Amino acid sequence: MKYSKKWTSLFLASALTLSTVSIATPQVQAEEVKKPTNVIMLVMDGSSNNAITLSRWYKGESLAMDEILTGAMRTYSAESAITDSAPAATALATGHKSNDKFIGVLPSVVNSPGLEQVAKEDAFRPVANVLEGAKQQGKATGLISTSEIQHATPAGFSAHVNNRSQYGDIAEQQVYQNIDVVLGGGLESLSPGTTKNARKDGEDLLNVLKEKNYALVKTRDELLNSQGSKIWGSFAPSALAYDFDRAKTRASEPTLAEMTEKAINTLKKDEDGFFLFVEGSKVDWAAHANDTIGIISDILSFDDAVKEAIDFAKEDGNTLVVAVTDHGNSGITMGNINTTNTYSSIPVSAYIDPLKKATMTIEGALGQLKEDQSNLVEVAALYGLDNLTEEELTTLKSAKDLGSEMVKMLANRANIGYTTGGHTGEDVFLYSFGPSKITGLVENTDLAHAMAKFMGFELDKLTDELYIPAKKAFTEKGFTTKVDVTDKENPIFIAQKADVSITIPVNKNTMVYKDASMNTSKTYTFDTINVYNGTEFYVSKKVLDTIQ
């Protein structure tokens, strides 16, 4: 990738050597790599090592992840020791650390030790991700999430925007990326409407998906019965239910393991191989809420999906599986203020037995609460809070935030501690399996480069091909250019030279070429997307190669 002279090698594939901390270069296992290569990347958003330990004790046996533990990963962003999901996803997908809220673009602020500054003109520049690289290699691609598919982490592997809240742009880019299998929530962002994340640009992307010959599925049964090679599953307006709640509240939704298995079985038919991204999203949501049951629920659900990936990789022999969390969250611990002087004699059962009484997460339990709270005792029992004392019942009845009081109460009964309702900055476990598996203590950016190398491409070179500043490129071809933002929801890049006019819409994979002298108009379709960051339009080399 050609950056300005001020731009230095900010994000290396090898681990950084900081002024205060020395990190070893990650070790890649040198096994024979045959073709086609496959990569399955799984992220349990907002988990932590302590949460995994607790989930293992809760399950009562080893996790699938335990079998493939190979190292640890650093998670800090370009500006903070504690990252948000957007820059974390950007690092994992593109090999570049970035800033809070940024998705698939370079940072504007760099102040973490050991990192070089980014030139002002390079800030917000889109950078290619591993899913795009796989697609350019002719591989099938897939994207799965238990949140909205437009949420920060899946967006990091499929879109390029300045702010993770730009659901409309993210959804449009995902549709026009022509990803083969997309499964998760986020139905409301595909069509116009009045809800928070409904489309504001007037475009109904469900119609676009039909035109692109996707099998559109909205239930578990429809998914499992689908036979198409292109599947778009939207199983909820926003996020899917927690796994512990699903059977009681939304039985029509598939599990994460079922979505993973279906995606693998669909994508593996491509003779060039595939790339699949899978996110267990709501571990993070539960951690923010300090909901111990929610955390365990979706870590175990995620682990089931990891097992699907491992089982396939063992059979296939040439699939790289990488599983990791993008950052810690909540500071969860087995042991709290109650155990300060007694920890050495407290059995496992003292932590686990109180948790086993819960049958739903806090979200699920509160969903059963009547408006007049007349069933408060029953709802508390759903969350494991049985045999309430008078003091506990009084606390719940007078609570301004009932959920907050309930999660505190159960954590206290189970001797579970929390330090925050936000993210945390610790190193996290790294899991890897297959040829070129990754070992050691690594940077989050290393994973993107390792996956790209295994699939046979370089991310920086790919960025040079996919995201070229359009104004400069078209000016060099003799065109005058402008960005038409008359419709702020649908900016258009326009280039004019004599009788030839070219229009390039934002977020799509098309270009319209008109020649007035010949009274002709042609629409070109590409396997790349057009991106606008509010200042500059970016197009691919394939777009420019069609221009005379």
Side-chain angles (χ1 to χ4, degrees), residues 513-543:
Y513 184 102
K514 292 183 179 180
D515 189 333
S517 66
M518 301 182 67
N519 195 30
T520 59
S521 178
K522 182 176 180 179
T523 299
Y524 291 87
T525 302
F526 305 94
D527 61 357
T528 60
I529 58 171
N530 315 311
V531 173
Y532 179 56
N533 66 5
T535 303
E536 179 70 73
F537 243 86
Y538 294 87
V539 298
S540 71
K541 184 176 183 296
K542 293 180 181 181
V543 171

Side-chain angles (χ1 to χ4, degrees), residues 135-136 465-466 468 511 526-528 539-547:
K135 189 174 65 171
Q136 293 302 310
E465 296 174 1
L466 298 190
I468 300 168
M511 176 190 76
F526 305 94
D527 61 357
T528 60
V539 298
S540 71
K541 184 176 183 296
K542 293 180 181 181
V543 171
L544 296 172
D545 286 346
T546 64
I547 309 302

Side-chain angles (χ1 to χ4, degrees), residues 326-546:
D326 53 348
H327 54 74
N329 191 340
S330 79
I332 185 174
T333 57
M334 290 183 69
N336 59 12
I337 195 68
N338 300 338
T339 66
T340 300
N341 299 314
T342 57
Y343 59 85
S344 60
S345 60
I346 298 174
V348 171
S349 58
Y351 302 97
I352 302 304
D353 287 354
L355 302 178
K356 287 284 189 175
K357 293 181 179 181
T359 58
M360 301 188 80
T361 71
I362 195 63
E363 178 181 285
L366 291 179
Q368 307 301 308
L369 185 66
K370 294 179 180 179
E371 189 172 349
D372 63 0
Q373 296 195 3
S374 59
N375 64 336
L376 176 58
V377 173
E378 291 80 5
V379 166
L382 290 174
Y383 193 63
L385 297 171
D386 61 350
N387 301 317
L388 293 171
T389 66
E390 287 189 17
E391 181 181 357
E392 288 175 329
L393 184 57
T394 299
T395 297
L396 294 182
K397 284 183 175 181
S398 61
K400 293 183 179 180
D401 186 338
L402 181 59
S404 177
E405 291 299 333
M406 286 174 65
V407 296
K408 289 177 185 176
M409 205 169 284
L410 183 62
N412 184 62
R413 288 187 177 193
N415 301 307
I416 302 299
Y418 289 96
T419 62
T420 179
H423 293 180
T424 51
E426 72 268 27
D427 298 343
V428 296
F429 287 145
L430 169 66
Y431 305 89
S432 185
F433 177 84
S436 298
K437 66 183 179 184
I438 308 157
T439 65
L441 176 60
V442 302
E443 295 285 339
N444 50 11
T445 51
D446 293 331
L447 301 190
H449 292 289
M451 290 185 288
K453 182 178 180 180
F454 181 70
M455 290 187 283
F457 60 89
E458 294 181 21
L459 284 163
D460 287 350
K461 288 184 178 179
L462 186 65
T463 294
D464 283 340
E465 296 174 1
L466 298 190
Y467 296 109
I468 300 168
K471 180 178 180 180
K472 181 175 184 296
F474 275 89
T475 300
E476 290 175 350
K477 288 178 175 287
F479 287 82
T480 58
T481 70
K482 68 175 182 177
V483 177
D484 184 348
V485 292
T486 304
D487 180 353
K488 65 179 182 179
E489 300 293 343
N490 295 290
I492 300 172
F493 179 83
I494 299 174
Q496 185 80 38
K497 181 169 68 174
D499 293 323
V500 173
S501 66
I502 293 168
T503 57
I504 300 174
V506 71
N507 299 330
K508 293 181 170 62
N509 64 341
T510 60
M511 176 190 76
V512 178
Y513 184 102
K514 292 183 179 180
D515 189 333
S517 66
M518 301 182 67
N519 195 30
T520 59
S521 178
K522 182 176 180 179
T523 299
Y524 291 87
T525 302
F526 305 94
D527 61 357
T528 60
I529 58 171
N530 315 311
V531 173
Y532 179 56
N533 66 5
T535 303
E536 179 70 73
F537 243 86
Y538 294 87
V539 298
S540 71
K541 184 176 183 296
K542 293 180 181 181
V543 171
L544 296 172
D545 286 346
T546 64

Side-chain angles (χ1 to χ4, degrees), residues 20 40 44 68 96 119 182 207 245 269 272 284 314 316 341 359 368 431 438 482 532:
T20 56
I40 305 174
M44 50 180 164
I68 62 169
H96 295 275
V182 179
N207 291 333
D245 302 335
K269 298 174 184 177
D272 297 307
D284 180 71
K314 287 179 177 178
D316 175 70
N341 299 314
T359 58
Q368 307 301 308
Y431 305 89
I438 308 157
K482 68 175 182 177
Y532 179 56

Side-chain angles (χ1 to χ4, degrees), residues 50-79:
N50 285 338
I52 293 170
T53 300
L54 179 63
S55 298
R56 186 187 301 110
W57 281 121
Y58 183 96
K59 183 178 181 181
E61 58 184 90
S62 296
L63 304 176
M65 290 182 284
D66 295 342
E67 180 184 351
I68 62 169
L69 178 64
T70 57
M73 184 187 77
R74 304 188 75 193
T75 61
Y76 64 95
S77 73
E79 63 180 320

